[in-house]
Amino acid sequence: MRAPVRLLLPLLGVLAVLAWAATFLLNSMTRAWFERDVATRSRLAVAGARDAFAAHLASADRRRLGALLDAMSRDEHIAGAAACAPSGATLARTRTFPGGLECEVLGASVATTRDAHFSAVRDGRAVRVSIVPVMDDGDLLGRVVLVHDMTYAAHRDRAVGRLTAGMFGIVAALAALLTYLMQRFSWRSWTHELRRVLFMSRGARPERSTRGPFQPLLADVHRLVAELASDESRASSGPWTAERLQATLERSLHGEGVVVLSNREPYLHERTADGGVKVVRPASGLVTALEPVMRACSGTWIAHGSGSADRDAVDRDDRVSVPPGEDAYVLRRVWLSPEEEQGYYYGFSNEGLWPLCHAAHVRPTFRAADWQHYASVNARFAEVASREVEGSDPIVLVQDYHFALAPSLIRDRLPRATVITFWHIPWPNAERFGTCPFAKELLTGMLGSTVLGFHTQLHCNNFLESVERFLEARIDRERQAVVLGGRETLVRSYPISVEWPSEVARRVAPAADCRRSVWAELGLARDALLGVGVDRLDYTKGIVERLQAVERLLERFPRLRGRFTFVQLAAPSRSLIESYRALEANVEALAARINERYASGTYRPVVLLRANHAAEVVFRFLRAADVCYVSSLDDGMNLVAKEFVAARDDHRGVLVLSRFTGAARELREALVVNPYDLEESSGALAAAVRMRAEEQAERMRAMRASVAELNVYHWAGRMLTDAARVRRDGRLSDRLSPVLRAASEVHG
Ligand code: ADQ
C-alpha cells in the first residue's frame, strides 16, 4: 500500500470518531437548551393565566379549568394539559392528555410546592412533563401539568446528526481528494495542505497567506452550525416584539432591508377641498398588519400610487419616506393608467380572484382583456422590485392576490432572491379554483416563491390540492413543500395578527372616557347598550346578515328596543364595481327599514357611519362597545376581531365572531356563530349584552393572552425565520456543489 493510502484509513477512523463525538456534544447541548426552554415556557404559560387558574382551582370548577387547559394546549408543541387538586386528584384534563401521566399517577412528583420537570415516552413519542404549582399567598391551590411533545427536539437532533455526518462526508471527500493530490505531488506538500485545511477550519491562521480551496467551505460549515444553534435558542426566547423581529432580520438575514410589493399603499396623499394635502391611512387589513412590520424592518414598500396628490409628494425616483415625520422606510410608488387600474385591479383582481377565493355567493368574472392587464402590471411591479433591491439575493415580500404572477417574474430576474409571498384571503378548494381559466398560470407564478403563506392550514391544503390537480409538480407533504422544475416552495400557514402592544390603543383615551364621548356623540341614553361593527363595505363581511341579526334581536327581545343600538363604521370600497354598489344600497335600505320599525324619540337602533375613519376613531368605538359583532361570510383572518381584543385593556366587552373567519380558530373565547343563522346570531348578541362582568373579563383575558403571543411580529418573524433557514440551506449547497464537483472531476 502506498504511504498516502495507508494514512488515509486511520484518518477516516479518526474523523468518524470525531463526527460521533461532535454529534453527541451538540445533541446534549441542544437537548439541555430545549429542556430549559420548555421549563420557562411552562412557567410563563401558567403565570399568564394564573388569575384564571387560581379562581377555578379554588372553586374546583372543572368546566372552566377544562376550557383554560384546551386554550393552552393549542400550542402545537403541547400534547396535553391537566389540572390537579392539592390532594393529587385530577380536576380536569384535555382530551389529548396522554394516559399514565394523570395527577394520581404522578403522585410523588407533585408532592412539593416547586415546579418539577421530567422526560418520558408516551405512545412511542418523547415527551417532557412540567408540573407547575399555582400558589396563593403561600397556599397551594393546585398544580398544572403540561405535557410537551418533544418530537420536534428529536427532529432537531436528527438534523444535527445529519449535519455532522454531512461534515464528516465532506471532510472524508476532501481526504480522498488530498490522497489523490498526494499521489501527484510530494508527501511534504500533502501534509502541508492537510495542515493548512485543518488549521484554517478551526479558525487558526494559515502558515502562508494563500487560502486553501476548502477553507471557505469548512468555515461555512462551522458558521452554519453556530447559526443553527443560535437560531434555535433565539427562536424560543420569549415573545415576539418589534425588537426581536429586527434582531432576527439582522442575525439570520444579515440585516438586509426587505422589499415589499403590494397593491395598496400604506399612506395616500389626498388633496383636500381647500387645496391642501392630507395623509390618509387606507382601511385595509394588509396595511394594518404590514405597516408595523415595515417600521421595525425598514426597507422599501412598492405600491400603486392611488392618492390624488401622490405624485406631488414623491421625489424624482417616485419615492417618499414614511410614516410622515418618522421616515422609517421608503414608499416607492408605481403609477397605473386608468385602463390598467380598471383591468388589473377592478377587473381581474376584484371581479375575478376576490369572488373566486371567497365563498360569498358572488360569481367571479374572468375577462381576457383584464387578464392581459393583470399580467402586464405584475411584470411592471416585478421589474420595479428588481431595480429597488440591493444585491443579488434580496428578500422580497410579495403581498396578496393582486400579484400571483410576480414571484416567478422576480425569480426570473433575480434567481437568488428569497421571495416570501403571503396570500391574505382564503384559497378555495381545487374544484372551485379550476373554474378560473388561468389556473395553471396563477399556480406557476406563485411557485416562484421561496415561502408561500396562508392564514390557515385549510387554505394551504386547498392550495396543495390545486397544484396536484393542475400542475406536474411534486408535493412533499412531510415538508409541506412543492417542487416544480427543480425548485422548492414551502407552503405554510402563518396566521396574521395586529401589533402588540398596540400603538393606537396607547394613543386612545381609557375605556370610560371613550364610552362617555361615544355616548355623547350618538346621543345614547345612560342605560343604553352598544354594539359595534367595523368593515370595508364588502359583501364578504356579512354586513347585511349582521343588520338582519340586529333586527331579529329586537324582534325576539322587546326589552332591548329603545336600549340596544348598533353602530356600523363602514368604509366605502371598490365602488366602481356593480356588486359593491348594490351592497351599499342594500345596507342603507336595511338600516332604514330597521330604524323605521324600532326608532322612537331620539332612539335609532342602527347608526351607519360611512367613512374611512382614522384608526383612533375605530379604537374609540371598539373601546366603548358592549359587544363587537364580526359576521364575515368568508374571511382569511379578520383583523377587526383582534383589534377589538387589543383595544379592551379594561377586560370588558364581548366578541361575537363568525366561524367563517380565520380568527375564529384562535379566539375561542369569543361567542362563535354561523352568521347565516339569525336565531343563533341574535341569541349570541342577547347573551353578549347580558354577560356578567367577570365572565367578560375572563374571556377577554384569555383572548388578550392569545393575541399578545401570536401578534404580527410573530407572523412576520416565523416567515422570515423559515425563509432564513431555506436561504442558509441554499447557501450551503451553493458552496458545496463546486467543491463536490471538483472532487468528482478529480476522481473521474
Ligand atoms: P380586509 O378584508 O381589509 O383584509 P380586515 O382583516 O378585517 O379586512 O382588516 C380591515 C382593516 O381595516 C382593520 O384594520 C380595520 O380597523 C380597518 N377598517 C375597516 N373598516 C374601517 C373603517 N370604516 N374606517 C377605518 N378603518 C377601517 C384582508 C383579508 C382579511 C385579513 C387581512 C390581513 O380580507 O381576511 O385579515 O387582509 O391579512
Side-chain angles (χ1 to χ4, degrees):
M1 216 188 287
R2 296 180 63 165
V5 180
R6 272 204 319 271
L7 232 165
L8 180 64
L9 291 176
L11 178 66
L12 287 179
V14 171
L15 287 174
V17 172
L18 282 177
W20 176 84
T23 311
F24 178 77
L25 241 162
L26 278 171
N27 276 345
S28 329
M29 273 163 63
T30 48
R31 189 46 69 135
W33 285 331
F34 285 136
E35 289 177 356
R36 260 204 315 276
D37 172 48
V38 161
T40 312
R41 284 202 319 180
S42 304
R43 276 193 292 273
L44 285 177
V46 175
R50 193 223 154 262
D51 289 351
F53 269 123
H56 305 329
L57 281 169
S59 60
D61 185 335
R62 289 168 189 266
R63 193 181 60 78
R64 295 223 166 98
L65 280 171
L68 257 182
L69 296 171
D70 282 341
M72 270 185 159
S73 59
R74 249 182 277 132
D75 179 331
E76 58 184 322
H77 294 320
I78 295 189
C84 313
S87 64
T90 303
L91 286 173
R93 60 183 183 158
T94 58
R95 259 189 303 115
T96 52
F97 193 80
L101 291 173
E102 295 81 358
C103 307
E104 292 81 357
V105 180
L106 293 177
S109 339
V110 295
T112 69
T113 51
R114 295 183 32 208
D115 46 315
H117 310 269
F118 63 88
S119 300
V121 175
R122 280 293 170 278
D123 307 329
R125 279 188 303 182
V127 296
R128 182 99 181 139
V129 184
S130 298
I131 305 162
V132 184
V134 179
M135 308 293 293
D136 186 27
D137 243 0
D139 292 337
L140 178 68
L141 295 176
R143 298 174 184 91
V144 178
V145 183
L146 293 174
V147 181
H148 297 262
D149 184 349
M150 297 297 279
T151 351
Y152 74 102
H155 286 316
R156 300 279 151 74
D157 287 352
R158 278 199 293 279
V160 170
R162 277 200 301 274
L163 192 61
T164 322
M167 281 172 57
F168 169 67
I170 295 159
V171 178
L174 295 184
L177 183 63
L178 291 175
T179 312
Y180 171 82
L181 291 176
M182 202 188 65
Q183 280 176 320
R184 298 190 55 174
F185 303 109
S186 70
W187 165 252
R188 211 167 148 268
S189 70
W190 187 87
T191 49
H192 172 76
E193 185 69 9
L194 178 65
R195 262 207 325 275
R196 193 151 61 102
V197 167
L198 291 179
F199 283 125
M200 286 187 66
S201 72
R202 293 205 306 258
R205 295 195 66 75
E207 280 174 22
R208 282 190 285 156
S209 60
T210 48
R211 284 162 61 87
F214 312 116
Q215 183 275 331
L217 171 70
L218 288 169
D220 271 359
V221 173
H222 279 264
R223 188 169 45 74
L224 289 168
V225 172
E227 274 182 17
L228 182 71
S230 67
D231 274 2
E232 295 304 358
S233 69
R234 258 199 317 281
S236 50
S237 57
W240 277 96
T241 57
E243 293 72 34
R244 183 168 168 205
L245 185 62
Q246 265 165 6
T248 301
L249 199 67
E250 242 142 58
R251 286 192 218 137
S252 305
L253 295 158
H254 309 293
E256 287 155 269
V258 297
V259 171
V260 169
L261 211 71
S262 80
N263 172 72
R264 181 64 67 223
E265 51 183 342
Y267 295 93
L268 289 91
H269 287 85
E270 293 284 9
R271 209 169 299 291
T272 55
D274 59 3
V277 170
K278 65 173 180 184
V279 178
V280 177
R281 274 277 296 273
S284 151
L286 182 153
V287 169
T288 302
L290 217 60
E291 219 277 330
V293 171
M294 275 307 271
R295 269 191 273 123
C297 296
S298 80
T300 305
W301 185 328
I302 304 169
H304 170 210
S306 56
S308 52
D310 270 2
R311 283 179 194 264
D312 303 340
V314 294
D315 65 12
R316 274 193 318 174
D317 299 316
D318 298 324
R319 297 196 186 119
V320 54
S321 290
V322 287
E326 256 180 76
D327 298 354
Y329 60 95
V330 170
L331 170 59
R332 161 72 159 90
R333 286 175 170 149
V334 177
W335 316 111
L336 299 180
S337 69
E339 297 74 39
E340 282 175 326
E341 191 176 357
Q342 179 58 46
Y344 137 84
Y345 177 72
Y346 289 106
F348 193 75
S349 297
N350 287 317
E351 286 191 277
L353 288 178
W354 179 269
L356 175 74
C357 292
H358 288 94
H361 321 292
V362 171
R363 194 178 176 282
T365 305
F366 300 109
R367 303 181 196 92
D370 289 348
W371 168 253
Q372 294 306 333
H373 282 302
Y374 184 82
S376 66
V377 170
N378 268 254
R380 173 109 56 84
F381 271 78
E383 192 201 321
V384 173
S386 44
R387 274 193 273 118
E388 287 294 330
V389 299
E390 285 166 19
S392 62
D393 57 352
I395 302 149
V396 185
L397 305 183
V398 178
Q399 302 298 309
D400 227 356
Y401 61 103
H402 311 89
F403 293 117
L405 305 182
S408 62
L409 296 170
I410 293 171
R411 171 132 342 270
D412 289 347
R413 291 179 163 83
L414 300 163
R416 297 183 60 230
T418 301
V419 182
I420 305 174
T421 301
F422 193 77
W423 195 262
H424 289 256
I425 62 177
W427 188 272
N429 63 35
E431 208 65 47
R432 191 178 160 90
F433 180 67
T435 61
C436 175
F438 310 102
K440 279 189 184 168
E441 290 85 340
L442 291 170
L443 293 171
T444 313
M446 290 168 77
L447 290 174
S449 316
T450 318
V451 175
L452 172 58
F454 295 92
H455 291 298
T456 68
Q457 191 55 44
L458 173 71
H459 301 152
C460 294
N461 295 347
N462 285 349
F463 179 82
L464 294 178
E465 222 181 84
S466 307
V467 171
E468 201 159 44
R469 186 83 64 90
F470 301 108
L471 295 184
E472 300 276 322
R474 189 167 65 78
I475 296 180
D476 182 339
R477 296 214 178 255
E478 203 181 321
R479 273 180 59 70
Q480 294 187 63
V482 177
V483 182
L484 178 68
R487 267 201 41 78
E488 185 185 69
T489 302
L490 298 187
V491 180
R492 302 269 162 93
S493 69
Y494 303 98
I496 209 165
S497 194
V498 291
E499 73 177 323
W500 190 286
S502 162
E503 235 335 272
V504 187
R506 200 183 54 76
R507 289 199 299 266
V508 173
D513 296 346
C514 289
R515 219 168 147 83
R516 253 194 304 279
S517 78
V518 167
W519 253 238
E521 186 175 327
L522 301 181
L524 301 180
R526 186 188 284 268
D527 68 342
L529 295 164
L530 183 67
V532 167
V534 182
D535 308 81
R536 288 182 301 103
L537 267 164
D538 192 299
Y539 52 80
T540 60
K541 303 292 179 185
I543 303 172
V544 168
E545 289 72 10
R546 188 178 312 167
L547 296 186
Q548 285 170 341
V550 170
E551 185 173 36
R552 187 73 192 110
L553 176 78
L554 298 176
E555 271 169 14
R556 286 176 66 187
F557 304 96
R559 270 190 299 178
L560 291 176
R561 297 176 197 163
R563 260 194 95 188
F564 182 79
T565 293
F566 193 85
V567 59
Q568 174 66 47
L569 309 193
S573 181
R574 306 171 192 168
S575 312
L576 290 185
I577 299 175
E578 170 51 33
S579 48
Y580 284 79
R581 285 200 301 274
L583 172 76
E584 283 194 45
N586 260 346
V587 167
E588 273 170 21
L590 185 54
R593 185 182 84 198
I594 301 171
N595 282 339
E596 209 164 287
R597 274 183 81 183
Y598 295 111
S600 62
T602 57
Y603 167 71
R604 278 182 311 149
V606 176
V607 179
L608 268 188
L609 299 179
R610 277 179 84 259
N612 176 16
H613 303 275
E616 289 76 7
V617 175
V618 171
F619 268 63
R620 188 160 62 86
F621 276 93
L622 292 175
R623 252 189 195 163
D626 293 289
V627 49
C628 170
Y629 184 19
V630 172
S631 55
S632 308
L633 307 182
D634 198 7
D635 215 337
M637 176 53 68
N638 192 287
L639 293 182
V640 174
K642 293 188 173 179
E643 285 173 338
F644 178 59
V645 171
R648 298 316 296 253
D649 49 7
D650 61 336
H651 302 124
R652 295 295 295 270
V654 181
L655 176 63
V656 179
L657 180 59
S658 159
R659 68 172 146 105
F660 305 122
T661 58
R665 284 158 205 262
E666 290 169 52
L667 303 177
R668 308 270 174 126
E669 293 76 15
L671 302 185
V672 176
V673 297
N674 171 358
Y676 292 100
D677 183 345
L678 298 184
E679 297 309 305
E680 187 186 42
S681 48
S682 59
L685 288 174
V689 293
R690 277 201 302 254
M691 191 181 285
R692 284 178 307 111
E694 303 83 69
E695 187 175 345
Q696 290 182 27
E698 198 173 303
R699 287 172 184 271
M700 191 52 82
R701 275 209 180 88
M703 290 193 284
R704 283 174 67 79
S706 159
V707 179
E709 186 192 340
L710 306 176
N711 58 25
V712 76
Y713 305 113
H714 176 268
W715 170 74
R718 278 190 53 226
M719 271 193 302
L720 288 174
T721 313
D722 282 354
R725 207 164 288 146
V726 174
R727 200 172 159 94
R728 199 176 49 202
D729 292 349
R731 280 183 177 165
L732 178 58
S733 74
D734 279 0
R735 305 293 271 145
L736 281 177
S737 30
V739 175
L740 293 180
R741 223 178 12 251
S744 74
E745 274 163 18
V746 170
H747 282 292

